[in-house]
Amino acid sequence: MSLSAWPIWLLLLALVAGAAPDSGRSAALAYVFAFLLAFLLLHLYGTALALLLVRHAGAAALALALVLVFEGIYLLGVESLWARLRRKVSQGEPATDWLSAALIGLGAAFAMPSLGGLAVLGRAAALGDAGDLGGALLISALAGVAASLVLLALGHVANLLLMRLGGGRWPRRGAGAAMLLVAVAVAAGWV
């Protein structure tokens, strides 16, 4: 993963910091596996599904920005529309759950599709356009799995550090601010 993947890293760290103390690693795992699923579907080169998803990637990126704004506001400690949509009572200590993390992971693959490396994805696209769907799927799957392994390792280290440092409201508020920052970057097209 390149340095241009900073929004993906920041979102994962924000999800780990914003997760409830008793939720463990469920938010990070939901994020990574949802990201991998959307990444693989988006990069099924040479198929009608991939063309349809690419055509709507801009709308998915804006939907991600909206979810990030709602989740960021919620993590800052303000009851938001997102909390009401999920039918959760506002808590003194807001937390990210697995559903929020999965939605963010699905949208992140559309907002930042070059995570697997432009050269690798370019080769997969060339194979898909040439009719070698198996080769394109294999290359895309390997790129997505490699990115997911890096994200899982980063999430595990972040989880260990936060458990060592202890919880509190400031990591959650920092997570909310990070989500708002990434939402602005996604909506402005900076990523």
Side-chain angles (χ1 to χ4, degrees), residues 8-66:
I8 295 286
W9 297 346
L10 188 58
L11 283 179
L12 178 65
L13 294 174
L15 288 170
V16 170
D22 58 344
S23 71
R25 295 177 179 86
S26 63
L29 290 174
Y31 170 76
V32 170
F33 289 122
F35 176 84
L36 179 61
L37 174 68
F39 183 87
L40 291 176
L41 291 176
L42 186 62
H43 296 290
L44 285 176
Y45 296 110
T47 65
L49 177 63
L51 289 174
L52 176 73
L53 293 176
V54 167
R55 219 175 291 132
H56 295 93
L62 288 176
L64 170 67
L66 185 64

Side-chain angles (χ1 to χ4, degrees), residues 33-114:
F33 289 122
F35 176 84
L36 179 61
L37 174 68
F39 183 87
L40 291 176
L41 291 176
L42 186 62
H43 296 290
L44 285 176
Y45 296 110
T47 65
L49 177 63
L51 289 174
L52 176 73
L53 293 176
V54 167
R55 219 175 291 132
H56 295 93
L62 288 176
L64 170 67
L66 185 64
V67 168
L68 288 175
V69 166
F70 285 144
E71 186 67 14
I73 289 170
Y74 183 57
L75 287 174
L76 286 173
V78 179
E79 185 180 12
S80 66
L81 176 63
W82 181 237
R84 289 181 185 202
L85 286 174
R86 293 183 301 168
R87 295 196 185 344
K88 280 197 168 184
V89 178
S90 181
Q91 305 163 345
E93 293 287 330
T96 300
D97 61 356
W98 68 270
L99 176 62
S100 301
L103 289 175
I104 291 170
L106 286 172
F110 289 93
M112 297 154 257
S114 63

Side-chain angles (χ1 to χ4, degrees), residues 160-168 171:
L160 290 175
L161 283 174
L162 281 172
M163 285 187 339
R164 189 91 152 132
L165 296 173

Side-chain angles (χ1 to χ4, degrees), residues 115-160:
L115 182 64
L118 294 176
V120 172
L121 294 177
R123 181 65 182 143
L127 285 173
D129 292 341
D132 185 4
L133 298 181
L137 178 63
L138 178 64
I139 290 174
S140 296
L142 289 175
V145 168
S148 295
L149 289 176
V150 170
L151 287 171
L152 283 172
L154 181 64
H156 180 67
V157 169
N159 200 353
L160 290 175

